[in-house]
Amino acid sequence: PTNSIFYLSNQVCNCTVASDYAPLFGNPYNVPFTGDWNGDGLTGIGVFQADNGSMSLRNNPQVIGSADLSLVYGVANDAPLAGRWSDAGLAGVVSVPSVELEIAPTFVPKN
């Protein structure tokens, strides 16, 4: 976000929604994204710094403070993509080149 504030709501509707949380996180113009970083079933917040490939992740957006995890994963001008890539119950992140995106998930149906 341009002002480093995430506006988050617990409501999903086709209506006007006020934010339930507005945590300040990251730096202006970081790329925001979300995921369940620790497998607790709750969505955390993350920011990606496009000029150097660094990511900062916070498990609980209601907690004020710094990142729970910071890492460099990717290169300049990549974009973050969060998803649940395994049955471990937590989200992973990939750094996607801005030129192309190819995702080949492994899908095994459960009976």
Side-chain angles (χ1 to χ4, degrees):
T2 58
N3 60 1
S4 302
I5 298 175
F6 282 73
Y7 297 97
L8 307 172
S9 175
N10 290 324
Q11 301 176 43
V12 178
C13 64
N14 187 14
C15 59
T16 302
V17 176
S19 63
D20 294 312
Y21 318 104
L24 178 67
F25 188 61
N27 295 313
Y29 301 103
N30 285 168
V31 178
F33 63 108
T34 61
D36 182 0
W37 311 129
N38 61 359
D40 65 359
L42 301 174
T43 301
I45 56 178
V47 291
F48 181 77
Q49 192 168 335
D51 64 346
N52 66 8
S54 66
M55 297 182 189
S56 297
L57 308 175
R58 185 185 292 167
N59 294 322
N60 187 339
Q62 298 178 42
V63 174
I64 297 171
S66 59
D68 294 305
L69 176 65
S70 295
L71 63 141
V72 175
Y73 191 66
V75 297
N77 299 318
D78 280 359
L81 178 64
R84 186 174 167 184
W85 311 121
S86 71
D87 286 335
L90 42 106
V93 292
V94 295
S95 181
V96 181
S98 59
V99 178
E100 65 180 90
L101 171 62
E102 181 178 327
I103 299 175
T106 301
F107 177 74
V108 179
K110 294 185 177 182
N111 295 330

